[in-house]
Amino acid sequence: MQTKTLGSTDISCPPIIYGTSFLGNLYRELSWEEKLSLICEWFNVSDGKVMIDSAGKYGAGLALEVIGKGLAELDVQPEAITISNKLGWYRVPLETEEPTFEPGAWANLKYDAVQKISYEGILQCWEQGCELLGGVYKPGVVSVHDPDEYLAAASDEADREKRLDDILGAYKALFELKEKGEVKAVGIGSKDWLVIKELYEKVKFDWVMFANKFTIYHHPKAIVDFVKKLGEEGVGVINSAIFNAGFLTGGEYFDYRVVSPKNPDDRHLFEWREKFFTSCEKFDIAPGDACLKFALSAPQIQAVALNPSKPKRMANNKALLEKEFPIKFWSELKAEGIIEQDYPYL
């Protein structure tokens, strides 16, 4: 897998970055053997340095603990992996029957997590994240976790301004860590790309990560133009959640909500998917493979973040990177209105 540098940094960035929420018991608890096999496969399918994406929110720090323990058990040298840690959630004792931060999303957790987005709070999250990783492995890449959700929770405009100040304070702390040489790159990930755009006017990020917003289903010109601008200004771009929460490959969730063909507001989604599946079948291309190839099609996008729960999927994704799809396939998707007619990169 050919690597690039992440934006203007010197970080080696492979085309696939591995998500780690399953290591934190997202939806179900994997056995230790299953978790270790996922970690092992990162290196089996890599031709160079591995890069992963994690967060203190994943299992209230469990994912970070598993990563540190697993890497040590496999005797992985720290220089063989780049760890990205999204900061803003801090592990605390579990005092209720289930965690309060995302009820129902995490299985069999022993801790809870609270949000800490501020100058001091983000430093506390940074320090705890390093401790959870075990002290040997440290994140080289950091960001504030879900700033869009933090802003959306504001009760009024004054509260939003306060929350915006909290986020800017958190980024001040992260860039100070970079100046001290503790981390190599500071960025932002968000489901709401307009929040990335708003904050980019105030903070010059090293990299940005789009979630759900640059997919084969959703790629409006405004986002394409913004991604082009980021590339021109030396900002690394990572694409994530490229299946719109699984709907594009046959799942029942679209952008994290259950959708139904019986709901008139959702019917257009199913009509789009039926046309997409028909075209994929005609060319004998798996829908998920088409999603991945599209997600990497813009030259400014240096990597996609994927979160496979099964090791065998990783090998398929690696092989797919070297495969070219027929031009006629992309032409048909445009003709059928599956992708935008004016999308410039296919």
Side-chain angles (χ1 to χ4, degrees), residues 91-109:
R91 171 185 280 189
V92 296
L94 181 63
E95 297 178 344
T96 51
E97 190 171 333
E98 68 170 333
T100 59
F101 66 100
E102 274 182 342
W106 306 94
N108 195 26
L109 297 188

Side-chain angles (χ1 to χ4, degrees), residues 250-301:
E252 62 179 343
Y253 284 85
F254 178 84
D255 290 1
Y256 311 109
R257 68 179 182 88
V258 176
V259 290
S260 169
K262 296 179 181 179
N263 183 341
D265 294 335
D266 295 337
R267 202 165 292 148
H268 68 286
L269 295 173
F270 290 88
E271 291 170 354
W272 179 94
R273 188 169 71 178
E274 185 175 346
K275 288 198 299 181
F276 176 48
F277 282 8
T278 298
S279 293
C280 287
E281 186 175 356
K282 178 178 176 180
F283 286 86
D284 194 26
I285 291 172
D289 292 352
C291 291
L292 176 55
K293 294 297 278 189
F294 181 90
L296 283 166
S297 61
Q300 301 84 7
I301 294 175

